[in-house]
Amino acid sequence: MIARRRELAVTGLIILALAWPASSRLEMDRTIDQMFASDDPTLLAYEELRESFGGNAVVMLVYRDERLFTPEGLQRATEISDRVKLVPGVRGTLSVAELNGILGLIRPPGLFRRSSDDTPPLLRRRDPIARAFDQLFAGYTHSENRRLGSVVALLDVADEERGFADAVRGLSEVVRELPEGATDAVLVGEPVLLEQGFDLIQRDGRRLAWLTVALLSPCVLVLIRSIRFVILQALVILWAVTMTRAILHWLDFELSLVSSILTAIVTVITVTAVIHLGSSQRVLRKRGYEAKPAAARSLAWLIPPIFWACITDAAGFLSLTVSGVTPVREFGWMMAIASLAVFVAMSLFAPLLLTGGSSRFARLESWAQSIDPKLLARRGRQVRKGSLRIASFLVRHRLATIAVAACLSGLTMLGVSRLEIESSFLRNFHEDSDLVAAYQMVESELSGAGVWDVVLDAPENLTTGYMNQVRGLQQELRDIDVDGERLTKVLSLADADEIAAGVPLFRFVSPAIRLAGIRTAIPEFSDALLVPAEPPDPTAETEPPTANNAADAVAGGAADVNVGADAVAARDGRKLRIMLRSREHLPTETKIALIGEVERVVAAWTESPEWGAAFPDDDPPRAAGRVTGYYVLLARVVSQLISDQWRCLAVSAALVWLLLCVATRSPRLALVALIPNVLPVLGVLAALGLSGTRMNMGAAMIAAVSIGLSIDGSVHFMANYRRKLSRGRTPYHAVLFAQKQIGLPLLMATLALVIGFSVLAISEFIPTATFGVLTAAALVAGTLTNLTLLPALLGIGITRPKPTN
């Protein structure tokens, strides 16, 4: 490597130049689909909702209007709703303006009332139909005190490929430009949560990347006192990140929810290797070695342990590929590639930078050496002497040390058994953020901000018996009570049909005709709640509903609702959608229990004989009802991620142990090296359980990842230990030598790692901050166990040599 150092460096630069274009084309996948396996039942139900109704996600634009239920308030609502409809990615809207239009269609002024009455239909307080619509949609399109309005925007499935980014940005523009009289506007809904989360993650990724490098570069300079190692670190980080992104692009991968910390983690892995290499090089130069011999000896000593450290890092990340959450699996592959890329980059650039340099570079190097304070050198000697004394003490009292570790392990198991999960996606944001404040306002003054759905099979010809069954199911859903928590809204076209049946004109007609009138007023939203028998012509323009064309609209709409058997077959039958609302800010257990109870009620109702009797014999129900929606998906993805952590931890430990078996050629030594790195991870998780802190997505990933990172210290310790054994030293002296050699570099590397991961703590996305803080804590604990428990375990069976004269 020393002889071919220039060729290696040039090769690395050429590869970097070739990979750069591909790395810049890597994009982020913002869809909810990428969080699940393609055959996951939760995702399949969601895809059915999306494909059947053409739009599935709902965002609510909520605003304050003290005069909402006045003619000018309705005019403002109409203006806001019209603006929302113009936003790219919005398929349809529902607000008090649309409610007023529906009432104007089914209760025109000239029908059973004075034609001169110009009061907006929704404001006719003596009209029982107007009052019924007011009560039905209270908490959905407006608050019960009528001071809060809501424009419910149904987003187009075509925009979901970008995570509804265009729609959310367009709606945000509407929020900033409300008409006079409308204030305090906010956006809520799961698409907003995801979009905000992705925006924070991308912003954090850019900020954390340069901040990690900016903080760790001075660390390397102070600890190693050499500019060349700072340059080596920068080259390795650039090369590894670029190659990883390029390989992901060539493999047709996309960045996901947890991919933003790529550069930060590559930086800390690189700094660890650079500090070990720099420490060895510095010691050899102080012993009088010239640059090339010192570099050759350092590389000969450290390339093997750096290789095994990167391999074990990769194994820790690869264990994440057994997760049921797709972004976590892809993150595992990404970081495994990055770990191996770090080793390749070290091999390409380290030989040249350890030996070469111009006279200007040499002057810069001498300046770096001049900042070496005597205090640091003295402290370094003290650390080595202290490590030696600790190792000697622990080997002599190894049984007591192991007994203490066993007691702490028991306490760890107790803490782990008390772990609780945090499934609310809203709690991934800080309590003082604008997004959380918006949700709190909506949930306190309007109704729950969590939107989800029930998908039901429907007969081709809607009958009164079927609509009664749907209304019966809705009442069962409204009666659900889980620890005092209920659904805040249960709404479908069956409710609107029941109200329309109170109109004398529609009392004796079929539900199909009544729903046709509603569809004429709000075609997009109606189609999002009931699959039409014939797909609407996208080129046809809908004529605004008026009193004069009401009868024609109803007649034509009836044909739209109940014809087109071929279209029904193409859509695998008709379906009806019940829209549910619940509070987003719920305890994890309550949210999961509420979803489970809704699923139980829906399954029991739609599998009953009475439900089947509501269908004609030649058009029976095809399946039980399905509960789905963003609310369910986000709850399930967090629960799945956290339940996967133990499987990932087991796979990580098994992979690392197998690699250590190969590296040490001893299953016993491999187990001895693994134990001090598993216990700290479990200890950190136990601390969460004992303190009552809930596990979020960030905490769920640290178990497998931390083992791969903290094992680096054990790998270097075992390399020094085995090197002394191979030279004929006794096991006792080999342990002492390894402790003396590895103590200072391990502490310096841990310091750098803690600084690097602590940078993540400033992230605005709480899982990223949690991941950084807990990983740093696990690495500190791992360093302590590597310097205490590992020597004690290696000391089992060792007899201390008696002093000789």
Side-chain angles (χ1 to χ4, degrees), residues 132-338:
F133 262 82
D134 181 4
Q135 295 173 1
L136 174 63
F137 288 94
Y140 205 82
T141 59
H142 58 281
S143 61
E144 291 187 0
N145 62 11
R146 301 176 184 169
R147 295 180 178 178
L148 214 61
S150 172
V151 179
V152 182
L154 189 72
L155 304 188
D156 195 336
V157 67
D159 192 42
E160 191 169 6
E161 293 182 1
R162 290 177 38 78
F164 300 114
D166 293 338
V168 172
R169 292 193 186 103
L171 291 171
S172 299
E173 290 294 327
V174 176
V175 166
R176 288 190 286 269
E177 299 176 0
L178 288 181
E180 185 177 355
T183 60
D184 301 335
V186 295
L187 288 179
V188 295
E190 273 70 19
V192 179
L193 283 179
L194 277 181
E195 180 64 19
Q196 292 269 357
F198 278 114
D199 284 345
L200 283 179
I201 286 169
Q202 285 190 305
R203 186 164 65 247
D204 282 346
R206 292 189 293 267
R207 182 175 58 179
L208 296 174
W210 68 260
L211 190 55
T212 306
V213 175
L215 284 176
L216 289 182
S217 295
C219 286
V220 173
L221 184 61
V222 171
L223 295 174
I224 307 299
R225 275 83 74 191
S226 174
I227 294 292
R228 66 179 72 237
F229 286 97
V230 176
I231 297 174
L232 174 61
Q233 168 201 283
L235 268 175
V236 171
I237 293 170
L238 177 62
W239 197 92
V241 170
T242 302
M243 284 304 303
T244 300
R245 292 176 61 92
I247 292 172
L248 291 176
H249 175 73
W250 292 328
L251 295 177
D252 203 25
F253 277 39
E254 290 182 302
L255 296 177
S256 62
L257 196 65
V258 291
S259 302
S260 65
I261 54 179
L262 167 64
T263 304
I265 295 184
V266 167
T267 300
V268 296
I269 294 174
T270 301
V271 167
T272 303
V274 167
I275 286 178
H276 281 288
L277 189 60
S279 298
S280 175
Q281 175 83 347
R282 187 164 174 268
V283 168
L284 291 172
R285 291 302 300 273
K286 282 188 174 182
R287 292 179 183 176
Y289 283 83
E290 295 295 328
K292 288 184 181 179
R297 185 172 288 264
S298 295
L299 291 173
W301 282 354
L302 291 174
I303 282 294
I306 289 175
F307 168 77
W308 288 111
C310 291
I311 286 289
T312 53
D313 288 345
F317 288 113
L318 275 177
S319 67
L320 297 176
T321 60
V322 304
S323 171
V325 181
T326 302
V328 176
R329 289 201 304 272
E330 293 182 349
F331 176 73
W333 284 111
M334 178 182 72
M335 293 313 307
I337 293 170

Side-chain angles (χ1 to χ4, degrees), residues 544-604:
T546 64
N548 295 330
N549 65 11
D552 293 339
V554 170
D560 288 341
V561 171
N562 274 323
V563 300
D566 292 339
V568 173
R571 290 171 178 261
D572 193 25
R574 300 192 70 186
K575 295 180 179 67
L576 183 140
R577 176 182 186 179
I578 301 176
M579 300 185 75
L580 309 178
R581 291 271 295 280
S582 61
R583 291 200 306 126
E584 176 68 37
H585 221 48
L586 288 179
T588 301
E589 298 82 2
T590 304
K591 177 180 286 190
I592 294 176
L594 183 62
I595 293 173
E597 185 62 14
V598 169
E599 290 176 330
R600 186 195 66 77
V601 169
V602 170

